[in-house]
């Protein structure tokens, strides 16, 4: 189908019962995203959208005005879209929107909250799974490989949708005058060989040895083992940092670290790491928790976290070897002199 085709048109081609159910979800969320994008673009005369509501989400993050607006828009858009179980970052327990719904949706309605009042890029990330009984939570305890679709919207200079229904990754941009998303890229591939990384470097002292070794080697530049001068970028929202990597290649890391509460990193598995990993694999890239593919993890709790190492396949594999090397070094017996045997 041609470039410039509308999202609705492209989704008409979705195949199978599950494919069509996922297409319905994506269309409903596109409607919510278009409305949210308009809310974000409005002058903040009635108070800042990033103002704290005084409440916190289940993970302890302060809830902001825009978090709640985004949650309301997404949830109501999904009400009539054949969605059974629904899990949002903003609500503690999963609920059922439509008992007859055949798919389950996990969603972060507003990713990157700290970017709200600085006119930075923020987004909405979602994952669509087959609905499984017997209660609202069970559907979410399937591995990420069960996803039927995943994607994210980015609210930046443009409003963009990056989405996959399991047959590659397409990119759409909101045409505000027409009020619809138009396809601007089909079959997106993450390039390899790009010397660029994204990590919150202020946590250097908290990282595990493998991560520190990898980043320290990047910092060594052309004289180091990577043999290249590296560039670093950190926008502070997963959608923005992720999208840059989908476009340009490189690697994103939010690893586990030594801070209290960060034993499994910062990102939530079901509505952050897993959908991004699905997209990365669909675009020829990779995503692991440092050691194993994110998509192989079976969640046990709705809001559980996972370390995320995502990007060009060659780089993600390289980081895996750093983890492995540290494990091997630890396992090797150390001689009396302290030298490794
Ligand atoms: O999970 C929320 C999130 O804002 C991500 O979008 C982003 O990658 C990360 O947290 C930013 O973390 P930090 O506050 O450590 O920069």
């Amino acid at each position: 189908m041609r470039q410039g085709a509308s999202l609705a048109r492209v989704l008409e081609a979705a195949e199978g019962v599950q494919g069509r159910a996922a297409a319905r979800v994506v269309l409903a969320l596109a409607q919510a995203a278009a409305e949210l994008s308009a809310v974000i673009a409005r002058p903040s005369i009635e108070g800042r959208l990033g103002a704290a509501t005084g409440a916190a989400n289940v993970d302890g993050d302060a809830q902001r005005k825009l978090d709640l607006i985004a949650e309301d828009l997404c949830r109501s858009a999904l009400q009539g879209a054949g969605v059974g179980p629904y899990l949002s970052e903003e609500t503690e327990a999963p609920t059922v929107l439509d008992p007859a719904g055949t798919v389950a949706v996990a969603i972060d309605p507003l990713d990157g909250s700290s970017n709200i009042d600085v006119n930075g890029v923020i987004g909405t990330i979602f994952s669509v799974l087959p609905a499984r009984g017997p209660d609202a939570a069970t559907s979410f305890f399937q591995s990420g490989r069960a996803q039927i679709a995943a994607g994210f919207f980015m609210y930046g200079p443009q409003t963009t949708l990056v989405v996959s229904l399991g047959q590659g990754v397409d990119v759409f941009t909101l045409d505000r005058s027409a009020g619809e998303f138009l396809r601007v890229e089909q079959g997106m591939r993450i390039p390899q060989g790009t010397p660029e990384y994204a990590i919150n470097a202020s946590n250097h002292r908290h990282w595990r040895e493998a991560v520190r070794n990898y980043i320290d080697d990047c910092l060594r530049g052309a004289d180091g083992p990577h043999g290249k001068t590296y560039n670093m970028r950190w926008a502070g929202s997963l959608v923005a940092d992720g999208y840059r990597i989908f476009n340009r290649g490189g690697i994103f890391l939010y690893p586990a670290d030594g801070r209290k509460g960060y034993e499994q990193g910062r990102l939530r598995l079901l509505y952050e790491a897993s959908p991004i990993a699905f997209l990365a694999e669909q675009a020829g890239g990779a995503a692991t928790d440092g050691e194993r593919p994110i998509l192989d993890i079976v969640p046990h709790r709705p809001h559980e976290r996972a370390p995320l190492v995502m990007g060009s396949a060659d780089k993600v594999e390289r980081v895996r070897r750093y983890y492995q090397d540290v494990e091997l070094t630890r396992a090797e017996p150390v001689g009396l002199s302290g030298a490794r045997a």
Side-chain angles (χ1 to χ4, degrees), residues 111-112 200 234 236-238 252 254 266-268 272:
D111 172 61
N200 183 342
W234 186 250
S237 73
L238 178 57
F252 170 98
Y254 212 118
R266 176 180 171 89
L267 305 176
R268 271 50 63 111
E272 291 183 309

Side-chain angles (χ1 to χ4, degrees), residues 49-322:
L49 289 170
T53 60
N57 68 20
V58 64
D59 227 26
D61 297 336
Q63 237 162 9
R64 321 216 180 203
K65 206 166 146 186
L66 193 58
D67 285 324
L68 298 184
I69 296 174
E71 161 69 9
D72 281 352
L73 283 171
C74 293
R75 180 191 275 257
S76 35
L78 292 175
Q79 289 287 356
V83 176
Y86 172 80
L87 169 69
S88 161
E89 186 189 15
E90 302 306 328
T91 50
E92 187 163 354
T95 51
V96 173
L97 297 184
D98 173 359
T102 57
V103 292
V105 171
I107 192 163
D108 181 355
L110 208 283
D111 172 61
S113 310
S114 67
N115 277 357
I116 298 175
D117 283 333
V118 298
N119 205 6
V121 175
I122 47 187
T124 299
I125 312 175
F126 63 92
S127 160
V128 186
L129 290 151
R132 296 263 180 275
D135 53 37
T138 313
S139 305
F140 299 108
F141 304 147
Q142 310 179 63
S143 88
R145 300 235 175 258
Q147 288 175 98
I148 312 165
F152 61 85
F153 295 89
M154 279 174 71
Y155 314 105
Q158 297 180 323
T159 292
T160 300
L161 164 66
V162 181
V163 67
S164 176
L165 267 67
Q167 281 164 343
V169 175
D170 284 2
V171 183
F172 298 80
T173 301
L174 177 63
D175 177 345
R176 288 181 200 279
S177 54
E180 60 182 357
F181 282 86
L182 303 181
R183 183 159 64 190
V184 293
E185 191 170 347
Q186 196 172 354
M188 177 177 231
R189 307 295 290 172
I190 302 180
Q192 305 226 48
T194 316
E196 203 162 281
Y197 64 89
I199 192 165
N200 183 342
S202 67
N203 297 321
H204 185 277
R205 68 192 181 289
H206 302 296
W207 296 335
R208 281 171 56 177
E209 207 178 334
V211 177
R212 250 204 314 265
N213 290 347
Y214 177 77
I215 297 296
D216 288 352
D217 283 348
C218 291
L219 292 171
R220 290 193 176 93
D223 300 331
H226 301 325
K228 279 185 178 173
T229 300
Y230 269 71
N231 194 10
M232 194 209 84
R233 288 282 181 269
W234 186 250
S237 73
L238 178 57
V239 290
D241 287 311
Y243 189 56
R244 192 183 50 253
I245 282 159
F246 278 88
N247 272 288
R248 290 215 300 246
I251 189 157
F252 170 98
L253 304 97
Y254 212 118
D257 67 48
R259 286 173 295 163
K260 191 166 177 329
Y262 286 75
E263 298 81 2
Q264 292 301 319
R266 176 180 171 89
L267 305 176
R268 271 50 63 111
L269 177 58
L270 275 156
Y271 40 82
E272 291 183 309
S274 195
I276 295 290
F278 185 79
L279 292 166
E281 288 202 8
Q282 285 290 322
T288 67
D289 63 358
E291 289 156 297
R292 62 193 163 145
I294 291 287
L295 295 184
D296 289 347
I297 302 174
V298 179
H300 295 290
R301 282 171 294 113
H303 298 282
E304 80 183 52
R305 297 184 182 202
L308 177 63
V309 178
M310 183 283 294
S312 310
D314 55 340
K315 294 217 162 31
V316 175
E317 169 56 17
R318 188 144 195 176
V319 171
R320 194 191 62 77
R321 290 208 301 271
Y322 274 74

